[in-house]
């Protein structure tokens, strides 16, 4: 899995890092330096909140969560049934390209 993450990071050069975590926030694999445990917990919490919002507002099954900041994006999708893939990208990276790379890495 780590080799796939690194390959995905270099295939899309504006991607700064990936974190794959379990749904309870444990790190499975990462290219993130710093505090990957903290990032894994946040990713798991945010995807859970996204699922709840999608259900409560009757918009169908959650496909993705995107956090758009002034200087970049954090994109979250399910990686299988029990994990979350968080991708962190620079501002220049088009979100569509990120979504395609993340889906490939997550095994969709």
């Amino acid at each position: 899995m780590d080799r796939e993450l690194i390959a995905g990071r270099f295939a899309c050069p504006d991607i700064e890092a990936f974190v794959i975590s379990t749904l309870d926030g444990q790190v499975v694999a990462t290219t993130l330096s710093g505090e990957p445990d903290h990032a894994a917990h946040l990713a798991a919490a945010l995807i859970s909140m996204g699922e709840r919002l999608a259900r409560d507002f009757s918009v169908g099954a959650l496909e993705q969560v995107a956090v758009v900041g002034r200087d970049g994006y954090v994109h979250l999708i399910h990686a299988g049934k029990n994990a979350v893939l968080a991708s962190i990208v620079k501002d220049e990276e088009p979100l569509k390209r990120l979504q395609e790379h993340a889906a490939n890495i997550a095994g969709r």
Side-chain angles (χ1 to χ4, degrees):
M1 180 67 76
D2 287 333
R3 286 195 324 218
E4 290 176 28
L5 287 176
I6 292 167
R9 184 174 178 195
F10 288 113
C12 197
D14 289 322
I15 295 175
E16 292 186 0
F18 290 104
V19 177
I20 294 180
S21 69
T22 61
L23 295 178
D24 62 353
Q26 302 300 310
V27 175
V28 174
T30 187
T31 62
L32 182 67
S33 59
E35 298 184 38
D37 291 328
H38 183 68
H41 289 302
L42 290 173
L46 190 54
I47 201 110
S48 177
M49 286 188 288
E51 289 173 338
R52 178 69 186 257
L53 282 168
R55 184 176 54 247
D56 287 356
F57 292 119
S58 301
V59 297
L62 179 73
E63 292 186 13
Q64 62 185 318
V65 175
V67 178
V68 180
R70 186 175 304 155
D71 298 324
Y73 304 95
V74 178
H75 178 254
L76 302 164
I77 61 170
H78 282 282
K81 292 184 179 192
N82 299 311
V84 178
L85 170 63
S87 305
I88 299 94
V89 296
K90 298 176 185 175
D91 185 54
E92 297 83 23
E93 181 63 22
L95 189 56
K96 178 70 175 165
R97 187 167 152 201
L98 164 66
Q99 292 167 337
E100 292 169 2
H101 281 287
N104 287 337
I105 291 168
R108 289 186 172 201

